[in-house]
Amino acid sequence: MPQNVTIRISPAEAANETILKQRLAVAAKTKPENINAYQIIRRSLDARSRNIVTQLQVNVFIHEEFFDAFDFNPNLQNVANAPEVYIAGAGPAGLFAALELIEQGLKPIIIERGKNVRDRRRDLAAMNKEGIVNPESNYCYGEGGAGTYSDGKLYTRSTKRGNILKSLQWFVHFGATERILQEAHPHIGTNKLPGIIANMREAIIECRGEVLFDTKLTDIVIENNQIKGIELNNDTRIKTSSLILATGHSARDIFRMLDAKKVLIEAKPFALGVRIEHHQSLIDSAQYHCSPGGQRNEYLPPASYSLVSQEAGRGVFSFCMCPGGIIAPASTDEGELVVNGWSPSKRDGFFANSGMVVTVDENDFAKYGFTGPLAGMNFQQMVEKKAWEVGGGKLKAPAQRMTDFVKGRLSNTLNDSSYLPGLTSGLLSDVLPKEIHNSLQLGFQTFGKKMNGYFTEEANVVATESRTSSPVRIPRNDETLEHVQVAGLFPCAEGAGYAGGIISAAMDGAKVAIAVKNFLNK
């Protein structure tokens, strides 16, 4: 068996194979020439002090045969004649559910309202260049779901919900770099994800599963509290006794359809706020203790941050921080304005952006007259419509300089931005609920004290970041994962309120797939 050692060295030393091997030999109490192989298992960066170090957990092989700790041999078998399982949604949850079903010997049929990744790009270009929203094909809908164009962060706190390593191994199997298996905060990049997602789809089809694009779930046939079938595109009826519902956190039509059919759903707290955009060099200076305007060490990645505080009785926290990233329009309907952030694989852009959000719940919804299962969704939509109006339409995003936001004054000019549809100077107090606006004003000042240079007129505050998670929960049985009321209906991942990112959604999809197999084997 290899020795498992942990070492702390400088980023430059970690990049030098000779020095790294010498340090590993010291840790393993042997000579460098006795090490015939080594494998990094875990890699993280500690930048808490000026003496920045890379911490590595490594398997060291001394006079023994190497074996790969990340070896992965999936059972991608032919399921042409296997029982069929329908999956609504081709996001991470739907795709990973399909892969697990294939390994379990079942035939997945994915129905996706949007387009494949190649055709989807045209609609994204129309959003960025012309401010046109296609309600069926956008940054949220289409192959890969919202995850395809939302940075590709592959870390999660949901360690008890499934096999994180296997989810990462699937990504590597389909083209991601092996480095994501080692990193404490793995990241693929929006530029790399579409090709990986397309490879997943091709593998599913090669195993004789099916992926149907431009195919929208428009009804679920329920009799005696049991799934009996589904309706597609308002005309095609298909008999089925099970359905994995992985339609994502923005599929409002699905929530409305379930509510109209008296299927139990619940309003759920979520987080709402803005996107903050700084120059990446400012974040590097603050996090790596560089001189103002100075360049970070070539061995260091673009810096990120994670900020949290309590303000006026509410938590204010950063969300989906994108080093070297871009702010993008994430609206799913005309007349609503939503922004999100992403980074390319190298994270080499000029700007850094992050969501900065505040949790809202049923008490907040009720203040604006929204009650019942769709209260959070309607509250969310209200804010997004205000953002559209203040922005002036065509996906122009209302924004203020950070200092002006805190002082409650209109910005005469705005900083340059990565947001392609463009920014409009506007008062975000006309967009955000008063309590949220006030908490953010206080939070920015607090963060300026925690992080040198963060509170600055050189940062833009852009509205609105409102799709952090689903505003609706579709309750399910903890053991069978079926809906608590409807047999054969399997609510899954973000849209059902059981995940919060690519990996947690992927793990939930795989978990639900196994539950469906158990259901069919009853």
Side-chain angles (χ1 to χ4, degrees):
M1 292 290 290
Q3 285 194 47
N4 184 268
V5 302
T6 298
I7 60 173
R8 290 169 62 84
I9 59 179
S10 74
E13 290 174 327
N16 186 309
E17 187 172 355
T18 300
I19 295 176
L20 176 58
K21 196 169 184 179
Q22 290 172 346
R23 293 295 300 276
L24 291 174
V26 172
K29 298 180 180 179
T30 188
K31 297 179 180 179
E33 57 266 28
N34 292 337
I35 298 176
N36 60 292
Y38 64 86
Q39 183 176 33
I40 297 172
I41 303 300
R42 191 72 167 171
R43 181 194 305 266
S44 61
L45 192 70
D46 186 349
R48 289 174 293 180
S49 69
R50 291 184 179 276
N51 183 28
I52 298 172
V53 298
T54 296
Q55 179 163 305
L56 301 176
Q57 182 185 349
V58 188
N59 281 347
V60 180
F61 297 82
I62 302 171
H63 297 312
E64 59 183 312
E65 185 178 352
F66 171 81
F67 70 85
D68 186 355
F70 299 129
D71 187 45
F72 184 56
N73 297 293
N75 182 22
L76 291 172
Q77 57 189 311
N78 188 315
V79 292
N81 300 315
E84 298 175 346
V85 177
Y86 282 87
I87 304 168
L95 291 170
F96 277 70
L99 293 170
E100 184 65 41
L101 287 170
I102 289 170
E103 288 202 295
Q104 297 292 330
L106 299 171
K107 178 179 179 177
I109 302 178
I110 299 177
I111 53 177
E112 169 55 51
R113 69 195 300 164
K115 302 175 183 178
N116 63 49
V117 286
R118 174 174 292 182
D119 294 340
R120 190 178 174 189
R121 290 173 183 162
R122 300 187 185 96
D123 297 308
L124 302 185
M127 294 181 77
N128 284 308
K129 296 177 181 179
E130 304 170 56
I132 297 173
V133 182
N134 181 339
E136 306 301 339
S137 178
N138 43 62
Y139 276 95
C140 290
Y141 301 149
E143 185 174 20
T148 305
Y149 297 99
S150 65
D151 194 65
K153 294 182 182 68
L154 300 180
Y155 47 91
T156 178
R157 296 183 179 91
S158 303
T159 55
K160 296 181 180 180
R161 297 185 183 179
N163 189 332
I164 294 176
L165 176 58
K166 184 177 181 180
S167 298
L168 295 173
Q169 287 172 316
W170 274 121
F171 278 109
V172 173
H173 182 78
F174 290 114
T177 172
E178 291 186 1
R179 194 177 174 100
I180 69 170
L181 301 174
Q182 307 166 356
E183 296 287 358
H185 294 93
H187 164 261
I188 292 178
T190 301
N191 56 321
K192 301 288 187 180
L193 269 169
I196 294 168
I197 296 300
N199 290 341
M200 288 185 182
R201 176 234 305 161
E202 291 302 319
I204 291 167
I205 293 172
E206 286 178 10
C207 292
R208 305 298 295 275
E210 297 180 30
V211 184
L212 309 175
F213 296 111
D214 297 306
T215 305
K216 186 176 181 178
L217 176 68
T218 49
D219 197 12
I220 301 173
V221 181
I222 302 171
E223 298 177 9
N224 299 320
N225 292 326
Q226 165 70 54
I227 289 273
K228 293 296 183 181
I230 55 176
E231 179 188 84
L232 307 179
N233 295 333
N234 292 309
D235 57 16
T236 303
R237 289 271 178 130
I238 296 172
K239 292 183 178 179
T240 182
S241 62
S242 63
L243 172 67
I244 296 178
L245 192 64
T247 45
H249 59 39
S250 294
R252 290 171 175 163
D253 56 322
I254 296 296
F255 298 142
R256 292 190 183 102
M257 181 257 288
L258 293 174
D259 188 52
K261 297 176 80 70
K262 306 300 181 185
V263 174
L264 181 64
I265 60 176
E266 304 166 344
K268 184 182 79 63
F270 66 101
L272 178 143
V274 294
R275 277 262 148 195
I276 308 300
E277 188 167 58
H278 292 84
H279 292 170
Q280 180 62 49
S281 60
L282 185 150
I283 305 302
D284 290 342
S285 294
Q287 298 296 77
Y288 293 146
H289 318 289
C290 309
S291 59
Q295 293 294 314
R296 68 176 182 273
N297 185 299
E298 63 179 308
Y299 298 105
L300 295 174
S304 63
Y305 62 81
S306 178
L307 296 169
V308 61
S309 70
Q310 284 291 321
E311 307 291 351
R314 293 174 181 267
V316 180
F317 59 96
S318 57
F319 172 83
C320 184
M321 196 273 150
C322 301
I326 289 171
I327 298 179
S331 302
T332 51
D333 277 300
E334 288 286 343
E336 301 168 4
L337 197 284
V338 186
V339 295
N340 194 5
W342 58 264
S343 300
S345 57
K346 292 183 179 180
R347 291 180 161 174
D348 55 358
F350 184 74
F351 297 101
N353 73 79
S354 177
M356 193 61 68
V357 295
V358 180
T359 300
V360 291
D361 59 23
E362 290 86 348
N363 294 324
D364 297 298
F365 312 153
K367 288 179 184 177
Y368 291 84
F370 301 120
T371 58
L374 301 180
M377 186 188 82
N378 292 330
F379 176 86
Q380 178 190 65
Q381 192 171 32
M382 173 194 74
V383 176
E384 293 171 3
K385 287 182 177 179
K386 288 182 178 180
W388 174 278
E389 293 167 2
V390 176
K394 292 293 183 181
L395 295 176
K396 299 285 186 181
Q400 291 172 271
R401 290 176 181 259
M402 184 182 282
T403 47
D404 290 335
F405 177 89
V406 169
K407 293 178 181 178
R409 67 189 182 194
L410 190 70
S411 296
N412 293 326
T413 61
L414 296 169
N415 299 297
D416 291 341
S417 173
S418 64
Y419 184 71
L420 291 178
L423 303 180
T424 299
S425 181
L427 291 173
L428 300 194
S429 56
D430 292 336
V431 176
L432 299 168
K434 181 179 179 180
E435 299 83 0
I436 308 307
H437 186 267
N438 291 348
S439 293
L440 288 171
Q441 286 178 308
L442 296 170
F444 294 152
Q445 296 174 79
T446 298
F447 297 149
K449 297 173 184 176
K450 291 183 176 182
M451 185 174 168
N452 186 37
Y454 183 86
F455 180 57
T456 172
E457 66 174 6
E458 295 180 4
N460 285 329
V461 181
V462 184
T464 177
E465 172 72 71
S466 51
R467 304 285 179 96
T468 55
S469 65
S470 177
V472 174
R473 176 175 286 108
I474 308 175
R476 68 188 188 191
N477 182 284
D478 290 340
E479 295 183 2
T480 67
L481 306 189
E482 288 177 272
H483 186 271
V484 294
Q485 181 186 54
V486 182
L489 176 62
F490 291 85
C492 184
E494 288 211 45
Y498 294 97
I502 292 174
I503 287 296
S504 60
M507 291 192 300
D508 200 56
K511 183 178 177 180
V512 167
I514 295 173
V516 172
K517 180 181 181 180
N518 294 335
F519 169 79
L520 295 176
N521 286 342
K522 286 182 181 177

